[in-house]
Amino acid sequence: MARELGWYASFSVAFGFVSIATGIFTTYGSVLATSGPRGIWAWPISVIGQLSIALVFGALAARIPIGGYSYQWVSRIVGPVWGWIMGWISFAFLGVVVVAVDYTIASTILPELFQYAGTTQNAWVITAGVVLLQALLVAASTRTTHRVNNAAVTAQLIGMIALTVLLFAVGFFTGKLDFAHLFETGPVPEHGYYGLGGGTHAGPFALAFLLGAFTIVGFESAANLAEETKDPARVIPKAMVQAVLSLGVLGFLFLLAITAAAGRIGSAAQSATPVATVITAVLGSVVGKILLVLVVISIFSCGLVITLSGTRLVYAMSRDERFPGWRLLKRIHPRTATPLNATVFMMAIAQIILAVFSRSADALFQLFSAATLLPAVIYAGTVAMYTVKRRSLPPSRGFSLGRWEVPVLILATVWLVYELLIFRDASFRGPWVYVLVLCGIGAVYLAVFIARRGRAALTMPDMADIDRVLDGTAESAEAGAEGTAR
């Protein structure tokens, strides 16, 4: 795989995965139900917390610019067994988050756009089709995938900025903005609103942090494509940080606009798709539908990047001969120059997860909860590893935290501990079951793998030899492709 991605492509991958359109459209209704309109004020705090994590990941990407991000970093710095565990958890996350993202199109946007009644059955069929289309694009061409994503990210930027400006402007001139609504708790009692909760439940305001925690994840996908990026040690950290900052600011402005407008639209609180309902009510059906189409494009782009990232992770682990079916999954197709088998595998996993979750009446909540829990675990493990091993890391190749390293690590640690404690709430029982089942499957495979091949089979290349290893891998792939052609 050639290094052909520049800064905008790297930024687009990070921005496209995070996708504020996807996250807000998916979780806003849940935030209104559990935290009320006031819950949107948890967003700025979430942005700061996730930014601290992005800075840590940037420091790692500048030292170890290789595909597979946390799997590769933990394998080389802590040990291959821990790295494998991190890789498997990352695989479980990417498998469920692509379904959560694509399910948003089928369950919240299309019913409003085309005015039909959404059901679990039609949401399942539509989501399955979207997952398949994304896999076909990723399998066909990496270059085409990035072109589609770049165009979609540009459309998302333009669309979300236009949507936010129009909501403020039209809402102001028509008297549909109610800024007092930003501070109301809605159906949630005022008493105990900021409380921490009990042993099996989190407080109302604490639950509001899931809006930012679910939305602002995936920025590290830029690091997962390090082997295809020009000057990755400089480009990737910059792209990740800029993506989180721009998304944080734009997302908060959009939340302010949509929440202020919802205060004067009585049907918004009862709507299954409150964001779409408010947009249509304020901007009219024609403009509203045009902007909803842009949102669909943005969400599709998000799922496309997730599919690409998941495929690259499976390929990276298979290349190291430690993923189930690695002999097939490590192959690069000679014509498309993409890991075709790994792409088909990720698509199949997504379809299975979709079939499991889609029969639930609250499938979207279960999906986004699982897709929030897993990255929090991944981030916590990676930050902990960096904290312990930071003095033994190879030198930076383009980005360093410098004197801010310790404050950033403290902030990231406090934020992640608080975020993980939210998931003690009983409403997250389904996501925990998913996590435990997937981890159980992974544990069985790892035990069999070690029993058959020994721990020596998990040995990773030395950190100082990464470029040499990658050059050798590239030469082997080219030789294999030439041999196939002959």
Side-chain angles (χ1 to χ4, degrees):
M1 292 181 281
R3 292 190 184 274
E4 57 185 13
L5 306 183
W7 169 80
Y8 191 70
S10 186
F11 171 82
S12 295
V13 167
F15 192 100
F17 195 131
V18 176
S19 182
I20 50 175
T22 305
I24 292 175
F25 271 76
T26 303
T27 58
Y28 184 73
S30 296
V31 170
L32 289 182
T34 60
S35 310
R38 192 187 295 177
I40 67 167
W41 294 101
W43 177 274
I45 303 173
S46 300
V47 171
I48 295 171
Q50 298 298 81
L51 179 61
S52 67
I53 298 169
L55 288 168
V56 174
F57 274 61
L60 279 165
R63 288 164 169 78
I64 311 176
I66 187 171
Y69 61 108
S70 289
Y71 154 68
Q72 298 282 6
W73 298 336
V74 176
S75 292
R76 286 168 165 77
I77 297 172
V78 179
V81 173
W82 286 106
W84 189 92
I85 293 171
M86 186 64 70
W88 186 260
I89 295 173
S90 299
F91 159 70
F93 161 59
L94 293 168
V96 73
V97 73
V98 70
V99 179
V101 165
D102 292 341
Y103 200 83
T104 303
I105 296 177
S107 63
T108 68
I109 310 298
L110 294 186
E112 180 73 22
L113 192 60
F114 296 107
Q115 295 297 303
Y116 67 87
T119 66
T120 55
Q121 288 77 21
N122 58 39
W124 183 355
V125 173
I126 293 170
T127 304
V130 174
V131 169
L132 176 60
L133 179 58
Q134 288 163 342
L136 289 174
L137 279 170
V138 171
S141 170
T142 299
R143 181 171 297 179
T144 301
T145 299
H146 283 294
R147 285 176 179 172
V148 171
N149 183 58
N150 289 349
V153 165
T154 302
Q156 180 177 181
L157 278 167
I158 295 171
M160 290 302 293
I161 291 172
L163 185 55
T164 303
V165 170
L166 285 173
L167 283 171
F168 274 122
V170 176
F172 176 79
F173 285 110
T174 59
K176 291 182 178 178
L177 293 182
D178 180 7
F179 289 102
H181 191 58
L182 301 175
F183 304 95
E184 296 174 0
T185 60
V188 183
E190 181 78 35
H191 178 71
Y193 184 82
Y194 295 104
L196 296 178
T200 57
H201 71 278
F205 189 64
L207 291 172
F209 284 96
L210 295 178
L211 174 62
F214 171 75
T215 304
I216 312 173
V217 296
F219 46 81
E220 71 278 6
S221 57
N224 201 22
L225 300 175
E227 297 169 35
E228 302 163 61
T229 304
K230 302 172 185 175
D231 194 13
R234 296 182 184 277
V235 169
I236 290 173
K238 179 180 178 182
M240 288 194 293
V241 171
Q242 289 178 336
V244 172
L245 285 173
S246 58
L247 286 157
V249 173
L250 181 55
F252 188 54
L253 291 174
F254 178 72
L255 282 170
L256 290 175
I258 207 76
T259 305
R264 297 279 172 83
I265 299 170
S267 59
Q270 290 76 39
S271 174
T273 58
V275 175
T277 299
V278 171
I279 291 173
T280 302
V282 175
L283 303 179
S285 68
V286 175
V287 176
K289 287 183 185 300
I290 292 173
L291 291 170
L292 285 176
V293 169
L294 288 177
V295 171
V296 170
I297 294 172
S298 300
I299 296 176
F300 180 84
S301 164
C302 178
L304 186 66
V305 172
I306 296 169
T307 302
L308 180 65
S309 188
T311 296
R312 294 305 186 266
L313 175 65
V314 170
Y315 167 74
M317 294 182 72
S318 298
R319 182 178 60 187
D320 294 335
E321 301 182 1
R322 59 200 55 182
F323 197 86
W326 58 266
R327 287 182 176 84
L328 287 173
L329 300 178
K330 73 173 184 175
R331 294 178 182 175
I332 298 294
H333 194 273
R335 184 175 62 82
T336 63
T338 62
L340 178 61
N341 293 343
T343 306
V344 173
F345 175 78
M346 278 303 299
M347 187 271 294
I349 292 297
Q351 298 288 6
I352 292 171
I353 293 172
L354 172 62
V356 171
F357 279 97
S358 62
R359 294 180 181 275
S360 171
D362 60 344
L364 190 58
F365 176 79
Q366 298 295 329
L367 286 165
F368 98 73
S369 298
T372 309
L373 170 61
L374 284 163
V377 173
I378 296 166
Y379 293 160
T382 306
V383 169
M385 177 271 298
Y386 184 92
T387 302
V388 174
K389 298 288 187 176
R390 60 194 177 92
R391 299 190 184 280
S392 61
L393 297 176
S396 173
R397 304 182 182 192
F399 177 82
S400 174
L401 294 175
R403 63 181 180 178
W404 293 100
E405 184 176 61
V406 173
V408 167
L409 286 172
I410 292 173
L411 178 60
T413 302
V414 171
W415 161 245
L416 285 166
V417 169
Y418 181 78
E419 182 185 348
L420 286 169
L421 285 174
I422 297 172
F423 287 95
R424 72 188 185 280
D425 195 273
S427 60
F428 301 115
R429 185 176 292 110
W432 274 114
V433 171
Y434 168 77
V435 172
L436 293 174
V437 169
L438 264 292
C439 287
I441 294 172
V444 170
Y445 174 78
L446 181 61
V448 172
F449 181 89
I450 294 175
R452 293 182 60 184
R453 301 181 61 186
R455 286 178 62 93
L458 288 169
T459 302
M460 297 294 288
D462 186 78
M463 288 186 293
D465 296 329
I466 288 174
D467 285 336
R468 179 177 58 79
V469 171
L470 292 181
D471 291 342
T473 301
E475 291 171 3
S476 299
E478 290 174 4
E482 291 174 2
T484 303
R486 286 195 292 269

